Amino acid sequence: MASSSSSSVSSNYDIPWVEKYRPNKVSDIVGNEDAVSRLKVIARDGNMPNLILSGPPGTGKTTSILALAHELLGANYREAVLELNASDDRGIDVVRNKIKMFAQKKVTLPPGCHKVIILDEADRFFFDFFGGNMVKCRYNISMTSGAQQALRRTMEIYSNTTRFALACNTSSKIIEPIQSRCAIVRFSRLSDQEILGRLMVVVETEKVPYIPEGLEAVIFTADGDMRQALNNLQATYSGFRFVNQENVFKVCDQPHPLHVKNMVKHVLEGNFDDACSGLKQLYDLGYSPTDIITTLFRIIKNYDMAEYLKLEFMKETGFAHMRICDGVGSYLQLCGLLAKLSVARETAKAV
Amino acid sequence: MGKRDAVVVLSSDEEEEDWKPNKNSRSKLSSSVPQANPEVAKKKKKARFSSSVPRSRSSRVDQFEHLGDEFDEALRAFNGSIGYVKNQRKELWVDKYKPQSLEELAVHKKKVEEVKMWFEQRLRTPKEEFDSYVLVISGPAGVGKSATVHMIASHLGAGLCEWKTPIPTLWQEHVHNSSSGIRYTSKLDEFENFVERTRKYISLSGESKSSIILLIDDLPVSNGKFAYGRLQNCLRVLVQSTRTPTAILVTEYGNTETADRTARSIEELVLSLESAGACKVLFNPVTLNSIKRTLSRICRLEQCNVTAGEIDLIAKASGGDIRHAITSLQYYTLKPETSFSSPSSNGALACFEEKTVDLNSLDVEASLPFGRDETLSLFHALGKFLHNKRDTENAVTSDHDRFHLREKFRRLPLKMEAPEKVLSQAHGQARPVVDFLHENVLDFIRDENIDDAWTVASYLSEADFLLASSRGTITRSYEAESVLQSTAVSVAVRGVLFGNSNPLSSRWHAIRRPKIWQVEQSSVCNKFEMMKQRFTAYDGLSSSNLSHVAMEHRHVLKWLGSRPYGNGVLTQGNDTEGNKVDGMTSEGQQCEASEDEIEDW
Ligand SMILES: Nc1ncnc2c1ncn2[C@@H]1O[C@H](COP(=O)(O)OP(=O)(O)O)[C@@H](O)[C@H]1O
Ligand SMILES: [Mg+2]
């Protein structure tokens, strides 16, 4: 959502900051020190083993792979790297052939260098191309084992010239014969400090006027996802030319966390009516129930309240979220949630 | 010796295996090319000797595919000894340290012996008639199935004739692009040809069959019911008629998430192979000790200093997959100058001793950022949750103390970071966490606190409900999905923490793997089994639902004592007899499994 607004709001066709500030070197990647330090060694010494990078979105998996490939292959990048991702929808056979043709292709590389095949969003990739895509479900059986054969065989046969790097959200979605041939590198969400560090670099280079609370808001909306953070920052800047809380939440189309926090506070203090009117305001501003409840969940997670209450609140929020996902995303649903939270509080309260 | 001139290599596995610079691999294309190193060449020639079938398209394609590699290799050989030492470092360790002898195989000795005997009997006494010449070797990925067959073949001095599923070239792709479907069948054609050829060849030349082992490492893909039927048929014919010892390797899928219809259809194929008289041997995950031994050996040879504790961790994280363990080791040893800080201490070693987590050493930060087995990195976090350490008194009076809770809802502050944070450090996925908690939490609840057990169970079931709702639907966005998952896991973890108001005092506890995973797996198997029965019984036209089959039909069938396979009466007898002769009955496996060196993962 944020990414689309970033490109449309700006009039002078800026390149998205996620691309502009995509680190070109492995050493510029923030967070996940252990993984990055090892990738650095690979970038220096070559001989990349087959890799699966798995972790939540926007933590630098794709960036790491691309940077690594660039550092490894330098000027040969265009020749010696094959990038494939899930949006490559030209059909499974073309993709498989591409992989094979590429693996067979002769490229003169310095000794110790290998060609690299990058499969981005590999879990979705397997799902769409080799797995249970609804349209292709007639070919279901052949797809998965076809992928298996194409990939695991290619991995083995060409391992002296070609290596694979896969990026995915969950490694368990990747078929086992392939997992078995790869080292698995896990990425975790970036911490707020790590994101802040990167944002500061961008803010300074782009000369973005900001106040600290604004960046805080950007970090809140990003929830450990650097891509989201950069997109939201850029969107706010191009929309309002100034990064403060209000602008960030306006641009990101997310309910203001303070507002939501107040709702929770009202519930905890027993002011059900106030909580409800807060909710009504949000709802009337046009925020969707999913947006509201997603923010609500994150507020509850970080709110300082009794252990029992937090547990109950999370549980009820979870159920409400589930029902909303199932299509019952009404105002009434959200009011009901507030009522449930109030009941939980009443039950727990000492008389 | 005319046969030897027409050597056609259906397999070039040797090439894949050892990239020795002094090997002139062109020898396989035409044996008249002078051999660079006579000794090697002799060995190769023997090993290569495979079948004198006229060159077929598939084999030519195969050869062509490997031309590039051969050229590469030749180039390397040319660069000769200077480059070699340097090149050594640029290999994958799984290739570099392929086992060179039977002893080096990380597979259980008895298993290797069993398989070796099986082939030896058939190769040494060709005159004798055996009931079965096909051995299905099944097991999870990376447990050394292929390596075992390769080693045994070279140990027995037999040539390997390997079927490799060809991937169509781009030309074929172009030709067939418009009419999809043909490709798959054409592969099947080739497979049928392959089977036919090997059969004919073997029956023509009586004497040389002693030196050949047929290997089908990759079952060809079948697409749709018709093709599948053909494949099945073709395999049955192979099983029933071949007189060449044949190994068919089948990868089992342990993980239910990736085990889709493919896995099911392969299982079905295996069953049908067995019913046609094939023997079957099951490879277990490689034992921890074997993996550790192999890893230590590699470390020694590579001269990298990895502590025993680290090797132990890597071995455990691999989940019995030796290939993955070696790959992980290679990745792990890519240390920058400063050594990896966290789990290298002895604390981490103790922490994972014998799959038992020392819950007392909770301060060791031992989440492992790699490894196939995601659950291992979880143990640390799980320990924290189950152990539920709390402060002894409510020291800080925080904001919420203004609000008075009832006695029974009050808890002392937790001695850990926020559960969500602990989880994210442990790379915890919702489903396994909930399953693990459910499996283990009762060990930590006092017998007298039945109410606590009730509370915990109800929170866990709610978490389960939240997770179940997120299963199956594929259209949901990653975001919505991840909120659901995190609520579910938070409810489970916090439910366990809150519910267990008076946890058992610290002592050693082994964290068990969720039994539900086994149950789920066998339930899937059973269901599949029933579906198949229903399918055969009704010729695919049935609409009776599975619970009917389970509740009524099966019992009746059992009672009638009828066999699941229509044409199975004869071949089944065959089957069991063959098994008895070869000592590969399931009992054999069981008694082996009970041996102490074998652990289940
Ligand atoms: N660890 C990081 N360090 C610096 N920038 C990052 C990092 N992670 C993500 N980014 C930024 O976010 C964008 C998207 O990251 P990407 O690597 O594509 O994430 P994913 O993990 O989803 O593949 C990149 O263009 C980059 O600008
Ligand atoms: Mg990505």
Side-chain angles (χ1 to χ4, degrees), chain A residues 34 38 148-149 186 312, chain B residues 90 219 253 332 340 371 459:
Chain A
D34 185 67
R38 277 159 216 278
Q148 227 184 96
Q149 280 167 357
R186 291 190 208 290
E312 282 294 314
Chain B
K90 305 303 180 189
L219 282 173
Y253 291 76
Y332 186 80
F340 188 45
Y459 280 116

Side-chain angles (χ1 to χ4, degrees), chain A residues 58 61-62 120-121 167 227:
Chain A
K61 301 179 301 293
T62 311
D120 204 358
E121 297 169 50
R227 182 189 289 112

Side-chain angles (χ1 to χ4, degrees), chain A residues 17 206-209 233-243:
Chain A
W17 288 354
E206 295 285 333
K207 307 214 168 22
V208 179
L233 181 70
Q234 186 176 22
T236 312
Y237 176 59
S238 38
F240 297 95
R241 299 281 143 190
F242 183 63
V243 179

Side-chain angles (χ1 to χ4, degrees), chain A residues 34 38 45 47 93 97 144 148-149 153 159 161 176 180 182 184 186 297 307 312 326 347-348 350, chain B residues 72 89-90 95 162 168 173 183 219 253 255 260 321 323-324 332 340 369-371 390 404 406 459:
Chain A
D34 185 67
R38 277 159 216 278
D45 297 352
N47 198 20
D93 289 313
N97 260 315
T144 325
Q148 227 184 96
Q149 280 167 357
R153 274 311 201 192
S159 70
T161 59
E176 283 170 31
S180 165
C182 296
I184 298 181
R186 291 190 208 290
F297 176 68
E307 193 182 336
E312 282 294 314
D326 287 344
T347 328
Chain B
D72 241 8
R89 292 190 50 219
K90 305 303 180 189
D95 295 335
E162 187 180 358
E173 189 66 30
R183 277 184 303 291
L219 282 173
Y253 291 76
N255 185 338
D260 54 0
D321 176 341
R323 176 173 34 219
H324 186 73
Y332 186 80
F340 188 45
F370 54 85
R390 284 167 190 271
H404 274 289
R406 287 194 207 198
Y459 280 116

Side-chain angles (χ1 to χ4, degrees), chain A residues 274-294:
Chain A
D274 290 347
C276 267
S277 65
L279 173 68
K280 179 107 177 58
Q281 268 178 11
L282 275 186
Y283 195 78
D284 288 344
L285 281 173
Y287 291 113
S288 79
T290 324
D291 288 342
I292 295 175
I293 205 148
T294 306

